[in-house]
Amino acid sequence: MLMGEFQHNMDQKGRVTVPAKFREDLGERFCVCKGLDGCLFLLSPEQWQGLVKKISAIPLAKGRSVQRYFFAGAAEVEPDKQGRVLIPANLREHAKLDKDVTLVGMGSRAEVWDTARWKAYTCGQDEAEIEESMELLEI
């Protein structure tokens, strides 16, 4: 299970260290793609295949936009000996990644955020919305 929050610096080549805890769950090679709310998703091969299957099941007339969103810029990455992965330029641009990045465990996936964007997002969370979700889950 992917959980926790880790701050790292991205180097000038676009490489970022993925925490060892995350690499254990994601595997030797994993996928990086556009995420929601301005982040990137890191998905294990199993999670990626599950996403592909669900999105591919949507009829083309209704699903083509979401297919393009997730599949067009996605990449398979493999950590180097230091645990770094190269984030492709198009994905760095999408998430506005520059230097300071935050990796967040989200259960079955990890997210990569620009640190300033992550702080703004978490500070701006609406507690009423979270409470509503918790009620749905009967928590």
Side-chain angles (χ1 to χ4, degrees):
M1 181 169 163
L2 298 162
M3 59 184 176
E5 182 177 317
F6 303 86
Q7 277 75 38
H8 289 282
N9 290 327
M10 186 170 58
D11 69 15
Q12 291 183 338
K13 294 181 181 180
R15 296 176 298 192
V16 64
T17 300
V18 176
K21 289 180 180 183
F22 288 7
R23 293 192 312 267
E24 288 174 19
D25 285 350
L26 292 169
E28 292 180 19
R29 295 176 70 86
F30 48 90
C31 294
V32 59
C33 67
K34 290 178 185 175
L36 303 174
D37 302 313
C39 72
L40 302 178
F41 289 166
L42 300 179
L43 302 163
S44 70
E46 296 78 21
Q47 289 295 325
W48 177 252
Q49 286 305 314
L51 180 66
V52 169
K53 186 175 181 179
K54 286 179 182 182
I55 292 173
S56 297
I58 302 170
L60 184 60
K62 291 185 178 189
R64 67 185 179 273
S65 293
V66 74
Q67 289 174 349
R68 290 175 184 141
Y69 181 82
F70 283 109
F71 301 156
E76 186 176 61
V77 294
E78 182 176 0
D80 63 15
K81 293 180 188 211
Q82 289 79 38
R84 301 172 303 186
V85 295
L86 176 64
I87 306 292
N90 63 313
L91 294 176
R92 292 194 309 266
E93 184 178 317
H94 167 78
K96 297 184 177 21
L97 301 179
D98 185 31
K99 182 175 169 113
D100 298 322
V101 299
T102 300
L103 290 97
V104 184
M106 300 298 292
S108 62
R109 71 175 185 279
E111 294 180 347
V112 181
W113 288 80
D114 169 77
T115 296
R117 215 170 177 184
W118 171 248
K119 287 179 182 177
Y121 178 81
T122 56
C123 289
Q125 285 183 320
D126 182 5
E127 285 194 31
E129 182 181 328
I130 294 169
E131 287 177 16
E132 185 179 314
S133 296
M134 290 177 73
E135 285 178 19
L136 289 172
L137 295 170
E138 297 179 357
I139 297 176

